[in-house]
Amino acid sequence: MSVSTAPETASRTAGTRAVRRGARVRDYGILVALLAIVLALSLSTSTFLSTSNMINLLDQCSVVGLLAAGATVCIMSGVFDLTASASLAVSAIVGVQVGRQLGVLPGFAAAIVAGALLGLVTGTIVVRSGVHSFIATLATSIIYRGLAVIVTAGSIVYPLASQQADFGMLTWPSIGGLTSATIVFVVVVGAIWVLISATTFGRRVYAVGGNAEAARLSGIRVGQVQIAAYVVSGICSALAGLILASRAGSAQSSMATGMELSAIAAAVIGGTSILGGEGAIWRGAVGALLLTLIGNGFNLLGWDTIYQQVVQGILILLAVAVDRYLRKRSR
């Protein structure tokens, strides 16, 4: 029987403390950054804390926030989803086209089903092909965009004139003056948060993302977990597409082009490790809110929005660098 020496015990204790500090930084660092930006904007402009701006801010955050929630689930399970914005466009188009035939609510339901099916197809392609998810989903996103162009013949699709008012229901004021889009965003993110943090599926997502081979040896069906993550992402994309279509009163194949990168950025800024196995849905949502705050601040202060991309890029690099540093400290 071996007996641990005092230096070994001290080393393990120091390592445990480093892991806990890293977890605290990952958990609360994003909140500190958010509060700092809120404080800065509150002091620099008189309109930031107005009720109308707060409602507008949350409404703007709803689309990228939903995409970020889906991206967070995928990244935590060890895969990337670059089909999010293409799935968004296809789902919105399906919603409008079905809505023209069967009504607005059946159209919305069809869009959500379409998003789930697209996620299922994407996940199956990634898992069965063995191609890295980044490349596989990049190629799949191009296919989805092409299908959207073919279905619409490159044109904008509109609901029937009699449906325009109902089709815009996600822009209507709701609880506390918040838009229906904001309520959908909060409810869906809350539901996914519970799914990941309080269910067996959530524990499997972390296990697969942390070490897929170990998860497989312990009896977890890695492929099914990752496919399910893509289905969740597809549903989030469909809901985001419905919000954008509801705002515009139409849908088209070029909707939200490139927004999947903003979603991934929000997830990473929120502390989700790009290596998988670590992250939280609420932090991804806060990351989306942080990006939206930056855009809102640039508009309120009248700054040139070209520098907004520079700031976002710096945040992403900083988030990845911090994640790498914390991982080294925890070893």
Side-chain angles (χ1 to χ4, degrees):
M1 180 182 295
S2 61
V3 179
S4 298
T5 63
E8 290 174 343
T9 302
S11 177
R12 284 198 297 270
T13 302
T16 301
R17 289 175 179 173
V19 171
R20 290 175 178 173
R21 283 197 299 270
R24 285 196 295 269
V25 171
R26 191 176 285 112
D27 281 343
Y28 302 114
I30 184 67
L31 291 179
V32 172
L34 182 70
L35 291 175
I37 293 178
V38 167
L39 179 61
L41 291 176
S42 301
L43 295 176
S44 58
T45 174
S46 60
T47 56
F48 174 72
L49 291 178
S50 65
T51 301
S52 60
N53 187 61
M54 290 293 101
I55 291 174
N56 178 60
L57 181 67
L58 292 173
D59 184 65
Q60 289 177 347
C61 180
S62 59
V63 172
V64 69
L66 284 168
L67 295 181
T72 300
V73 176
C74 286
I75 295 173
M76 286 193 303
S77 70
V79 293
F80 289 95
D81 185 9
L82 296 182
T83 68
S85 66
S87 297
L88 178 156
V90 173
S91 299
I93 291 168
V94 169
V96 173
Q97 298 285 43
V98 173
R100 290 176 61 90
Q101 304 298 321
L102 302 178
V104 173
L105 290 181
F108 279 22
I112 296 171
V113 171
L117 289 176
L118 289 172
L120 178 62
V121 171
T122 302
T124 302
I125 290 173
V126 171
V127 171
R128 299 303 180 193
S129 69
V131 178
H132 192 281
S133 61
F134 192 92
I135 302 301
T137 57
L138 175 61
T140 307
S141 69
I142 296 173
I143 295 173
Y144 290 168
R145 286 284 181 189
L147 290 175
V149 173
I150 292 171
V151 169
T152 62
S155 302
I156 301 174
V157 293
Y158 298 90
L160 299 175
S162 60
Q163 297 174 334
Q164 283 287 355
D166 290 337
F167 193 76
M169 66 175 65
L170 293 178
T171 65
W172 295 349
S174 186
I175 301 172
L178 299 173
T179 62
S180 298
T182 301
I183 302 302
V184 169
F185 164 55
V186 171
V187 170
V188 171
V189 169
I192 298 175
W193 185 2
V194 172
L195 177 68
I196 296 300
S197 62
T199 67
T200 301
F201 171 71
R203 290 190 290 274
R204 289 175 178 174
V205 166
Y206 283 110
V208 169
N211 190 323
E213 184 59 26
R216 184 179 291 107
L217 293 175
S218 65
I220 296 175
R221 296 182 177 179
V222 173
Q224 290 187 1
V225 171
Q226 292 179 334
I227 290 173
Y230 278 112
V231 171
V232 172
S233 181
I235 293 172
C236 289
S237 296
L239 290 169
L242 288 174
I243 291 173
L244 286 181
S246 187
R247 289 175 184 170
S250 62
Q252 56 183 313
S253 59
S254 60
M255 291 175 69
T257 301
M259 193 171 285
E260 70 278 2
L261 299 180
S262 295
I264 293 174
V268 172
I269 290 171
T272 302
S273 174
I274 58 173
L275 299 179
E278 295 181 7
I281 300 301
W282 70 267
R283 293 205 303 268
V286 173
L289 183 57
L290 189 64
L291 291 180
T292 306
L293 266 176
I294 293 172
N296 183 254
F298 268 78
N299 290 331
L300 291 178
L301 296 171
W303 291 353
D304 191 340
T305 55
I306 192 173
Y307 297 107
Q308 180 180 333
Q309 297 178 358
V310 175
V311 174
Q312 291 178 353
I314 291 172
L315 283 175
I316 296 169
L317 285 174
L318 182 61
V320 174
V322 169
D323 175 69
R324 184 176 180 182
Y325 172 75
L326 292 177
R327 280 180 176 270
K328 284 185 176 180
R329 287 290 301 276
S330 62
R331 291 175 183 173

